Amino acid sequence: MTRPGTGRHAVGISRPDKVLFPGDGITKAGLAGYYRTVARRMLPHLRGRPLMLERHPDGTDGPGFLQKDVPDHFPDWIHRAELPKEGGTVTYLVCDDTATLRYLADQACITPHRFLSRADRPDRPDRLVFDLDPADEDFAPVREAARGLRRLLDELELPASLMATGSRGLHVVVALDRRAPFDDVRAFARGVAGVLAARQPDRFTTEARKKARRGRLYLDVQRNAYAQTAVAPYAVRALPGAPVAAPLAWSELDDPDLTSRRRTLATVDDWLADDPWRDAPRPRSLRRPRSLLTALTREEKGPPP
């Protein structure tokens, strides 16, 4: 067992040579080492947030599961948040330090998924996420959708950040001031997605049913709800090559070779030197963007017949 220090807590890695990514030879120690390397960048996106844990005790070739409630055997020093659900409560893990991040790796938590709100005000999101979900492996529509969404958000005076999910698509993320409840945020996101889909109905859709998408890219806003989660920035995905959910610069959309899985655990030293979110937009109110969206929607629909 390896036991490097992580601040106030020494976190051991049991069976450090256990292979979690069989096709890539990445071990549990390798996963823990990655999370320790990116902790300085990753923790600001995790602190104070309830997490859902995606665990693969037998590696990515074996069955995995999603875990909300913190297991009883997790140490007392790990922070928790007990939040309501229908008919009861859930005690979520909150990752506030490097030691917790490393402990999660020891528990074969490959991917932490975060709330879009913080535990102290769980019904008031400070993040809005548009999930650009392609119909197939062609990434060009994803890049096109991201550009179009950015232009539309600029029209609404709402700057955004870009992230590769490490899986199929991209996330466009807006920082909010925590004044609007989830229902209002989701309604706004749905309205924005509707405008973009109406501008290019042959390319984009807001239709949740796969059969109704007819090969179009899905503009998914369903994560913007209480207790829903989105993959955390810098999280490793349980996929071949160990791709990472990585922040991107908007200029990277100009690269025709861009894919959602470009950043990987193995190449962390190459891409971690630059921080695309170093000057990320400050949190914004939705008050004026909502007014602008209402006016824009009315204008684009045109006068009634």
Side-chain angles (χ1 to χ4, degrees):
M1 177 184 289
T2 61
R3 295 180 81 76
T6 48
R8 293 177 299 165
H9 305 286
V11 178
I13 302 298
S14 61
R15 301 180 63 192
D17 296 330
K18 179 178 177 60
V19 176
L20 294 181
F21 290 81
D24 306 282
I26 297 171
T27 64
K28 191 191 288 188
L31 179 68
Y34 164 80
Y35 277 127
R36 190 175 186 188
T37 296
V38 301
R40 182 176 61 84
R41 294 270 186 85
M42 188 175 186
L43 285 171
H45 304 289
L46 298 180
R47 286 193 182 102
R49 297 179 187 279
L51 298 182
M52 181 171 65
L53 313 178
E54 183 179 343
R55 298 176 61 187
H56 292 262
D58 298 316
T60 57
D61 280 0
F65 61 95
L66 296 172
Q67 187 165 47
K68 294 182 179 180
D69 269 300
V70 178
D72 292 338
H73 69 271
F74 276 34
D76 291 341
W77 52 262
I78 287 179
H79 296 170
R80 295 158 168 82
E82 185 176 357
L83 299 177
K85 69 171 183 178
E86 186 175 354
T89 63
V90 176
T91 300
Y92 292 93
L93 183 142
V94 179
C95 182
D96 288 332
D97 52 36
T98 304
T100 302
L101 198 53
R102 185 175 173 83
Y103 184 84
L104 291 179
D106 181 56
Q107 298 298 306
C109 173
I110 292 177
T111 313
H113 301 262
R114 65 175 185 167
F115 267 42
L116 301 182
S117 58
R118 293 188 291 235
D120 61 335
R121 298 178 70 188
D123 60 334
R124 301 280 170 159
D126 66 348
R127 294 292 184 272
L128 183 162
V129 171
F130 297 92
D131 183 8
L132 309 182
D133 185 9
D136 51 38
E137 297 304 313
D138 183 7
F139 206 71
V142 187
R143 294 163 49 229
E144 180 185 3
R147 287 196 195 95
L149 184 55
R150 187 191 190 191
R151 288 192 295 268
L152 176 53
L153 291 172
D154 283 346
E155 292 178 54
L156 302 176
E157 300 179 8
L158 201 59
S161 300
L162 184 68
M163 187 182 83
T165 65
S167 179
R168 286 171 47 82
L170 296 173
H171 281 178
V172 174
V173 184
V174 177
L176 302 177
D177 62 3
R178 302 213 293 172
R179 293 184 181 180
F182 266 113
D183 286 349
D184 290 355
V185 171
R186 186 172 63 252
F188 173 81
R190 188 180 295 121
V192 173
V195 169
L196 185 59
R199 287 179 174 179
Q200 291 185 272
D202 59 329
R203 304 286 286 172
F204 310 134
T205 181
T206 58
E207 180 57 66
R209 294 172 301 154
K210 288 187 176 180
K211 288 184 178 180
R213 296 178 196 171
R214 301 194 303 275
R216 295 170 294 176
L217 180 141
Y218 176 39
L219 304 170
D220 185 0
V221 300
Q222 299 306 315
R223 300 176 189 278
N224 299 288
Y226 174 77
Q228 295 296 307
T229 60
V231 62
Y234 298 100
V236 179
R237 306 308 300 265
L239 295 167
V244 171
L248 300 175
W250 284 102
S251 60
E252 294 185 70
L253 292 177
D254 296 332
D255 184 351
D257 294 326
L258 176 68
T259 70
S260 185
R261 302 184 189 183
R262 168 176 285 183
R263 310 289 201 265
T264 70
L265 183 155
T267 61
V268 61
D269 291 339
D270 295 331
W271 55 262
L272 194 62
D274 182 43
D275 182 4
W277 286 5
R278 180 177 54 252
D279 300 315
R282 62 177 177 79
R284 301 296 180 103
S285 167
L286 281 184
R287 182 176 299 176
R288 178 162 172 77
R290 272 193 301 229
S291 297
L292 292 171
L293 178 63
T294 299
L296 180 64
T297 303
R298 188 179 300 123
E299 176 185 324
E300 297 203 358
K301 283 184 177 178

